[in-house]
Amino acid sequence: MPDAKPKNLWRFLRFTIGELFHGSPAYWLWVSFLALCVAAGCVAYYLQLRDGLVVTNMTNQVSWGFYISNFTFLVGVAAAAVMLVIPAYIFHRKDIKDVVLMGDTMAIVAVTMAIMFILVDLGRPDRIWHLIPGIGKFNFPQSMLAWDVVVLNGYLFLNFAISFYIVYNHYKMVDPKESHYFPIVILAIFWAISIHTVTAFLYSANSARPFWHNPLLAPRFIASAFASGPAIMAIGLQIIRQVSNYPISQSVIRHLSLVTVVALQVTIFFVGAELFTDFYNESEHGLSARYLFLGLDGHNALQPWIWTAVVLLLIAVTLLMIHPTRNHPWTMNIAFVLTIIGVWIEKGMGLIIPAYVPTPLGEIYEYMPSMTEIVISIGILGFGLLMFTLLAKAALPIQCEFLRATPDNIEDGKLCEPDQAKAT
Amino acid sequence: MTDQEKDGKKQPRDQEFNAARRRFFAKLGGVAVAGASGAAYAAWGGHTLSDTFADFFQKHYRQMTPDEVNDTIERIKRKAQKRYGVDIECADTPAIDGVVFGYALNISKCRGYRDCVHACVEENNLGSDTQYIRVIEMDEGSSNLHAGDHYYDPATVPMEGKYYLPVSCMQCDDPPCVKACPIEATWMEPDGIVVVDYDWCFGCRYCMTACPYQARHFNWGHPDLDPEKINKTTHYLGNRPRPRGVVEKCHFCVQRTRNGDQPACQEACPTGARVFGNLLDPNSEIRYILENKAVFRLKEDLGTEPKFWYFRDA
C-alpha cells in the first residue's frame, strides 16, 4: 500500500510490480494455469518456427485461417472498450467512470493479442522490421495492411497512455487533470472505431473475394464488436467484483447488457440483409455464402459452426430482450457467454474461411485448424488473460485506495474495504 | 528508371557505409572461420556468421547499390551451394527499354496436355506443391470457373465437350497484389512483370488474398527441390531457389525473356497455342493478335488490367 514517502515513478513501478507477487492460493493457481497455457503455446510456436507454416492446415487455396479469424474477433473486442469510455468521459456517468480503467485494460490486452495473432501468422517473423518506416519500406497509405499496423499500434499506445496517466495519478492521490487526458480520450474514441473500420476495409477492399467485397462489412463489424466486447467486459467485471474488493455497481453491468442487446439486434439484422442479397437472386458471387450456410458440392465443414452461431445469437438476443431474463444474473450471464461464442464464430471462422471457398478460380478446398494452430491460439489467449490479470492486480489496489480517499466518487456509497477481500 | 536515378544520387553515402559494413562483416566472418568454425557452422544452419548477419540486414532489392546487389548474389550462390550442392548463376538483368511483355493464348488450340505446367516447374525450380500454371477443364459453352475441373486426368485429354483454360499470373497493369503488400516486397517492373523480392517478403500473404487469379503461391515449408534437376540459370527476381515462408509467382520467365528468349511455357506448348511478345512493338505477333482477333481477358470486370489475353480461332 502507498505510504508516506514521496510518490515518484520509481516507487510506483516498485509498488505495482511488488503487488503482483502478493496473492491468494487461488490467484497463484490461476496464474500458473495461464502460464501453463502460454508455455504450451510457446512450444507449439517453436515447432512452427522450426518447420514452417506447413504445420498449419492453411494452403495456397485457404491462405488465411484460424489465426486471422481470432485476430479479427479480438480487434472488435478492443474497439468495444469505447462502450465504457463514452459514457464515462462524455456523459460523466460516475458508476462507469469508476470501472472505465478496466475497459481500457481490456482494450490494451485485446490489441496485444490481435497483434500476436498477426505475428504468428507471418511466414518470416524475423523480417518484421521491414515494416519500420525509414529502415524498412512501409507501403503507406497504399496498403490496407499498413493502415492496420498504424491504427492497431496507435490504439495500443493511446490506451496505454490514458491508463498509465490515470493510475499513476491515483497512486499519487491526485485527481487526474481532465484537460490533460480528455483530448486523448476523444482521440481514442475515434481511433477505436477506426481500428475496426480499417480491419473491415482490409477484407472488403478485395474485389477478388466477393464474400467480403461489400460495403456492409464495416458496419457489420462494428455492430458485432459492440455485442461481443461489452459481453466480455460484463463477465470480466463481475469476476473482478467476486475476487477483489473493488466496487463495481450493478448499474454498469446493466448498461453493458443493454449495449449488447442493441448491438446484437443490429448484427442479426445486418446478417439477414446480407443473406437476402446473396440468396434471393443467387449468383456466382453468392457461392461462399452458400458454402458457409448450406454447403457446396458436398463440402460443408463450416455448416455446423455457422448454424451453432446463429442459434446461440438468437437465444442470446432473446434472453437479453426480455427484461426479467436480462436482469436475472443467471440468464443474463448465459446470454453473455452465448454472445461471445456466437460472435467469435460469426466474426472468426465464419467470416474469414468462406472468402477462400471456393477460390477465385472456382476450386473448393476446405480448411479446419491444425492442432498446432489451436495450441498456439490457446497460448495467446492464455497470455492475454495473464496480462489482464497482472495489470488488474497491480492497478486495483491503487484504484481502491484512491476511491476510499474520495468516497463521493462512488455512486452507491460502497467502499473498498481495506484488506477485507484480499484473501481471495 | 526513376528508382535507379534516385539510387544513383544516394550512392556515395551508401557506398561509404557499405564499405564499412563489409569490412565489419569480413572481420566477423574471419573470426568465425579462424575460430571455432565448426561450432559457428552448426549454430547458423551451415552458414557463416557474416552471411547470417548480412542476410538478416539485407536491404530491399530496389534500395541496393550495384555493389550490394553483387554481394547479395554471391550469398545467394553460396546458399544454393550449401543447401543443394549446386553452383547456380544468378543474374539481375534489368528490364529492356521500350519493352512491355504481354501474353495471348489461343483456347481453340489448347488440348490440356499440361506440357506448359511441367516445363514451368522445371524451368523455375518449383517445389512439388507449387505450379504457376493451372489448366482448368471447362464445359464447352460455359465460362463458369466453378464448374471447371482443376484435377482432370491428363491421359484422357482432349475430352469431347470440354475446352481447356490455362490460368497463371495475368501480370495485371494495376495489380491488386502490389497495392496490398504492406512492405513493397512485390512491385511491377518497367517491362510490366510483377515480381517479388523473396528476401524482403515477410510472408503475411495479403497479396494472395488480393489476387483474383489464385496466381500467388506460398512456401509453407522449405521448397523440396531435387538438386539433380535444379535449373542453374537463374535471375534474382525470377527462378532462383526461394527461401521458406515467402510468396512466389509467375514472372514471365524473367531469366529468359529479358535475354530475348521465349518463356518456358511458350516453348513447351506442342500446339502453338501460346503467343508471347513485346506489346510496345507494333510488328510483334502479339500485337497482330490483339488487333485482329476477338480477344478477351479473364475477369476483366475487376479492372486490374491483365496483360494476358485469350482468343479463339474464328
Side-chain angles (χ1 to χ4, degrees), chain A residues 68-310:
Chain A
I68 300 296
S69 303
N70 288 325
F71 156 79
T72 313
F73 173 75
L74 285 166
V75 173
V77 173
V82 292
M83 284 295 129
L84 287 182
V85 171
I86 291 175
Y89 292 117
I90 308 291
F91 300 115
H92 301 288
R93 283 257 312 249
K94 280 273 180 216
D95 55 339
I96 294 179
K97 207 165 182 176
D98 288 348
V99 301
V100 69
L101 197 69
M102 290 298 109
D104 289 327
T105 311
M106 189 191 72
I108 293 172
V109 170
V111 174
T112 308
M113 289 164 75
I115 292 173
M116 287 172 82
F117 272 112
I118 294 285
L119 287 179
V120 298
D121 190 64
L122 291 181
R124 298 300 299 242
D126 53 318
R127 296 180 183 169
I128 189 77
W129 64 271
H130 293 178
L131 273 173
I132 302 170
I135 56 171
K137 252 182 178 275
F138 194 50
N139 192 10
F140 188 85
Q142 278 270 308
S143 167
M144 286 318 296
L145 206 52
W147 276 81
D148 223 19
V149 171
V150 170
V151 294
L152 286 178
N153 285 297
Y155 192 62
L156 186 60
F157 173 77
L158 285 177
N159 275 286
F160 188 78
I162 295 170
S163 310
F164 180 83
Y165 178 73
I166 289 176
V167 175
Y168 184 46
N169 274 290
H170 285 177
Y171 173 72
K172 292 193 294 186
M173 292 291 175
V174 182
D175 249 329
K177 278 208 186 70
E178 192 162 325
S179 60
H180 281 188
Y181 66 81
F182 192 70
I184 305 180
V185 167
I186 295 292
L187 184 62
I189 290 171
F190 284 100
W191 209 285
I193 305 295
S194 86
I195 62 169
H196 221 37
T197 308
V198 168
T199 305
F201 285 176
L202 183 78
Y203 303 118
S204 67
N206 296 293
S207 49
R209 312 274 167 188
F211 186 64
W212 291 337
H213 191 54
N214 93 58
L216 192 57
L217 202 67
R220 223 183 102 187
F221 265 43
I222 303 275
S224 66
F226 287 173
S228 57
I232 291 175
M233 284 191 285
I235 288 187
L237 288 175
Q238 291 175 79
I239 293 173
I240 290 172
R241 190 163 60 181
Q242 286 294 315
V243 300
S244 78
N245 51 5
Y246 191 61
I248 293 164
S249 163
Q250 188 61 23
S251 59
V252 178
I253 310 296
R254 280 201 295 275
H255 159 78
L256 289 172
S257 67
L258 264 178
V259 173
T260 305
V261 66
V262 173
L264 262 185
Q265 289 164 343
V266 176
T267 301
I268 290 169
F269 171 68
F270 281 174
V271 173
E274 282 208 355
L275 289 182
F276 169 79
T277 317
D278 276 337
F279 285 109
Y280 183 76
N281 265 333
E282 202 176 343
S283 74
E284 257 191 84
H285 287 183
L287 284 180
S288 292
R290 172 164 282 276
Y291 166 71
L292 176 63
F293 283 93
L294 304 170
L296 190 60
D297 304 349
H299 301 275
N300 51 11
L302 281 180
Q303 225 184 334
W305 287 68
I306 196 66
W307 285 110
T308 307
V310 168

Side-chain angles (χ1 to χ4, degrees), chain B residues 156-178:
Chain B
T156 61
V157 298
M159 285 265 280
E160 194 63 36
K162 304 282 185 188
Y163 71 98
Y164 296 86
L165 187 74
V167 182
S168 52
C169 175
M170 301 284 158
Q171 313 292 352
C172 302
D173 216 40
D174 188 4
C177 52
V178 168

Side-chain angles (χ1 to χ4, degrees), chain A residues 49-50 53-54 59-60 63-64 121 123-124 127 129-130 137 139 142-143 202 209 297 356 360-363, chain B residues 56 134 146 150-151 180-183 198 200-206 208-209 212 214 218 220 244 299:
Chain A
L49 280 180
R50 195 191 62 187
L53 284 168
V54 70
T59 55
N60 283 334
S63 49
W64 276 352
D121 190 64
R124 298 300 299 242
R127 296 180 183 169
W129 64 271
H130 293 178
K137 252 182 178 275
N139 192 10
Q142 278 270 308
S143 167
L202 183 78
R209 312 274 167 188
D297 304 349
Y356 298 91
L361 294 185
E363 188 189 358
Chain B
F56 184 81
R134 181 173 284 249
H146 176 59
H150 294 243
Y151 300 100
C181 179
I183 52 174
Y198 313 118
W200 191 259
C201 169
F202 67 0
C204 73
R205 310 190 296 292
Y206 190 32
M208 296 174 73
T209 294
Q214 195 70 23
F218 187 68
W220 299 95
R244 187 180 76 192
K299 304 195 188 197

Side-chain angles (χ1 to χ4, degrees), chain B residues 112-121 133 135 264-265 268-271 274:
Chain B
Y113 299 137
R114 291 208 186 102
D115 286 354
C116 53
V117 177
H118 301 127
C120 170
V121 167
I133 308 172
V135 185
C265 49
C269 181
T271 66
R274 289 172 169 271

